[in-house]
Amino acid sequence: MTREPLSVVVITYNNADTLDACLREVDWAEEIVVLDSGSTDDTVAIAERHGARVAVHPFDDYGPQKQRAIELARHDWVLNLDADEILSPGTREVIERALEHPRHAGFRLPRRERMFWTVQHRRSWRNGHLRLFDRRRGRMNDVDVHAAVEVDGPVKTLRAADFVNDGDCDIATRVEKINRYTTGMVAYKLRRRQRFTGLRMVFYPPVFFLRQYIGKRYFLNGWAGFIASVTGAFYAFLKYAKLHEAREQARLTARANRHDGPPRSRPDGPPPPVAPRTGRR
């Protein structure tokens, strides 16, 4: 039975360490589109070696860059991957069956995380991510840092298919990513006027740890699962701590402007957009 043709879209910036493994598992697709942000390593050469159609555009934010890549695709059905994500064995067959006269607007694929020196246990909970979709019915949303696809229509989870996020090769990389991502989320949370920041700082991190370690069965991953749960709780804490800090700094600036005359802008400006993760160090 014939299926819908598929375009795989990937955005890149200095991803030479992971891109080859990513593209090797999708070279069966009718098209691979790579939108690069000006890599200085072998990223573009690796993409071209896999027959990808490569375009270059300066990076401004994750969601808009992904949307540009999606719009470059020649086919209606798109598989949206990051440069450090790899389809697991057997996932190709599940995707191809799903694309035989699809009755859904999109499909979620469960994602397994790299936990430093190991990969998430298959019996622990895998979050589903909407990565396979009809681009005529979907587009990236405007959430800073964690922008995701939203579609108009029914969505189904392909439980028998999954992919591995191979990005967090060590604890230092994970902590660096947490710092960048939480900084990038401040502007979005300020726009949403999120309330009860102090309570969230106090109570959400331990709840997050228990949900990961016990609820999602990260304990099956041994010490790697424990460390991943702790760093996840730290992420939950830090995004609200930085939001609280931004509000306190805004209050100090407003108070100074009231007492010192003409309004002054903050010297450092708003938080910059978070760039795509570079290759491993």
Side-chain angles (χ1 to χ4, degrees), residues 81 108 175 182 185 256 262:
L81 292 176
R108 298 186 191 91
V175 172
T182 51
M185 291 182 69

Side-chain angles (χ1 to χ4, degrees), residues 10 27 37 180 182 196 209 242 246:
V10 184
D27 58 8
S37 301
R180 288 189 293 112
T182 51
F196 309 117
F209 171 81
K242 288 185 178 181

Side-chain angles (χ1 to χ4, degrees), residues 11 13 21 46 49 58 122 133 165 175 208-211 223:
I11 65 171
Y13 178 70
I46 292 169
R49 190 165 68 239
R122 285 189 177 273
F133 64 99
N165 181 345
V175 172
F208 185 96
F209 171 81
L210 293 173
R211 188 178 67 184
W223 282 111

Side-chain angles (χ1 to χ4, degrees), residues 21 26 64 85 88 118 142 150 159 186 191 214 269 271 277:
V26 295
E85 294 175 339
S88 301
T118 187
D142 62 353
E150 295 180 351
R159 296 291 180 190
V186 170
R191 290 197 305 270
I214 305 298
R277 180 185 166 274

Side-chain angles (χ1 to χ4, degrees), residues 6-12 19 22-23 26 29-36 52-53 62-63 65-85 130-133 135 140 149:
L6 180 67
S7 294
V8 176
V9 299
V10 184
I11 65 171
T12 56
L19 186 62
C22 171
L23 299 185
V26 295
E30 282 72 20
E31 178 186 45
I32 299 174
V33 176
V34 171
L35 181 57
D36 190 68
R53 185 158 53 89
Y62 184 83
Q65 191 79 343
K66 275 283 186 181
Q67 186 61 39
R68 290 187 191 99
I70 291 166
E71 291 169 359
L72 289 172
R74 291 174 177 154
H75 302 297
D76 294 328
W77 279 88
V78 167
L79 177 62
N80 167 28
L81 292 176
D82 290 342
D84 57 3
E85 294 175 339
L130 180 55
R131 295 304 186 86
L132 179 64
F133 64 99
R135 70 184 185 129
M140 300 296 295
V149 173

Side-chain angles (χ1 to χ4, degrees), residues 198-219:
L199 292 175
R200 293 174 188 269
M201 267 197 297
V202 173
F203 294 106
Y204 186 51
V207 170
F208 185 96
F209 171 81
L210 293 173
R211 188 178 67 184
Q212 294 287 104
Y213 192 64
I214 305 298
K216 293 187 176 182
R217 299 188 292 276
Y218 273 28
F219 61 84

